[in-house]
Amino acid sequence: MKDPLIKAVVFDMDGVLYDTEKVAYTCWKEEADRLGLSNIEYVHRGACGLNHTDGSAWLKKNYGQDFDAEGFMKRCGRNMQEKLRREGLPVKEGAREIVYWLKEKKIPSAICSSTVVPTIEDHLRQTGLDGCFNAVIGGNMVEHSKPKPDIYLKACQALNQDPSECIAVEDSPNGIRSAHAAGMLTVMVPDLIPPTEELTSLCFRVEPSLLTLLEYLKSRFGQ
């Protein structure tokens, strides 16, 4: 099969550019233990990639409609920010290299995250990646986030690119399903969740790291 045309690259943030999913899970686990909640690993994994609205609905689906999902997420978010302030924001291996290379080569790129835009922009400033992306799309910019395609379609529109010619770099099942539904060239770089047969079937490629993805892109662009 002929290699598809690639004109842009769109990144998820948590678990792809930043090693923050592990921090988030630790905070969810601590809060769940405090409240006596069961099955938190399953619930957290199912929430990966969801924006605030859908995350709240997912928590209520698992713990009942009377569950204080807003309070739970607020406490977890506050605890996570405190951990990151104390310990620093962990950048994934290869993140700076691939982002800087795309900028140098003038290949359009964007962030497409279920995290709200102010938090995304703060993370970028902290790690010296601000100004590297042509567009930043956050979960507060769409009603429903991943696994629906809306957020990725919005990112492609912001880049003025056809989704079929854009790579989406994802780590979570919800994100992979979202990018695939948008008609993008989905690449999984696994983080907490390993690739399954179903996820692999939705992907254009599965790469062990951002560094190997960078080598692939260099081979495709001849640079």
Side-chain angles (χ1 to χ4, degrees):
M1 186 177 73
K2 184 179 178 181
D3 285 334
L5 192 62
I6 298 171
K7 291 187 176 179
V9 181
V10 182
F11 297 90
D12 176 42
M13 185 178 73
D14 294 297
V16 171
L17 295 178
Y18 300 110
D19 200 8
T20 43
E21 291 291 16
K22 297 179 182 70
V23 182
Y25 174 68
T26 297
C27 294
W28 278 50
K29 180 69 165 59
E30 290 171 352
E31 185 63 14
D33 289 347
R34 189 182 72 82
L35 296 174
L37 301 177
S38 62
N39 214 20
I40 192 62
E41 183 176 2
Y42 166 80
V43 175
H44 175 260
R45 288 192 173 194
C48 289
L50 301 183
N51 66 1
H52 188 84
T53 300
D54 293 339
S56 178
W58 173 249
L59 282 165
K60 286 179 178 291
K61 179 180 179 179
N62 283 276
Y63 294 124
Q65 292 305 306
D66 294 331
F67 180 69
D68 182 16
E70 292 289 326
F72 180 89
M73 289 191 294
K74 184 178 291 185
R75 289 188 296 273
C76 289
R78 183 173 61 245
N79 292 340
M80 181 173 174
Q81 292 309 311
E82 289 174 359
K83 283 182 184 293
L84 293 176
R85 276 194 294 272
R86 288 196 310 268
E87 302 168 11
L89 184 60
V91 181
K92 295 281 278 191
E93 181 184 32
R96 287 191 174 92
E97 290 88 341
I98 193 169
V99 170
Y100 291 155
W101 182 83
L102 290 167
K103 183 180 180 182
E104 178 190 348
K105 300 304 178 185
K106 296 182 171 55
I107 299 167
S109 66
I111 285 185
C112 187
S113 170
S114 296
T115 300
V116 297
V117 170
T119 300
I120 297 172
E121 292 177 338
D122 181 63
H123 284 6
L124 296 178
R125 282 192 296 269
Q126 285 186 53
T127 54
L129 295 180
D130 51 325
C132 291
F133 297 94
N134 300 88
V136 173
I137 309 298
N140 57 314
M141 296 173 68
V142 292
E143 181 179 359
H144 293 295
S145 190
K146 308 165 186 179
K148 294 185 182 298
D150 309 36
I151 194 166
Y152 271 112
L153 291 173
K154 195 173 189 71
C156 294
Q157 184 179 37
L159 293 175
N160 196 29
Q161 300 292 340
D162 189 289
S164 67
E165 297 175 343
C166 295
I167 279 180
V169 189
E170 269 288 354
D171 68 301
S172 73
N174 285 326
I176 288 165
R177 293 175 187 128
S178 173
H180 178 76
M184 300 177 72
L185 300 166
T186 308
V187 175
M188 182 179 190
V189 180
D191 183 42
L192 292 181
I193 301 170
T196 62
E197 186 175 341
E198 181 237 341
L199 295 177
T200 301
S201 72
L202 302 179
C203 291
F204 165 59
R205 297 178 68 86
V206 176
E207 293 285 351
S209 74
L210 291 175
L211 290 175
T212 62
L213 175 58
L214 175 56
E215 289 307 309
Y216 169 74
L217 290 174
K218 286 180 176 180
S219 72
R220 286 299 309 276
F221 284 92
Q223 303 173 60

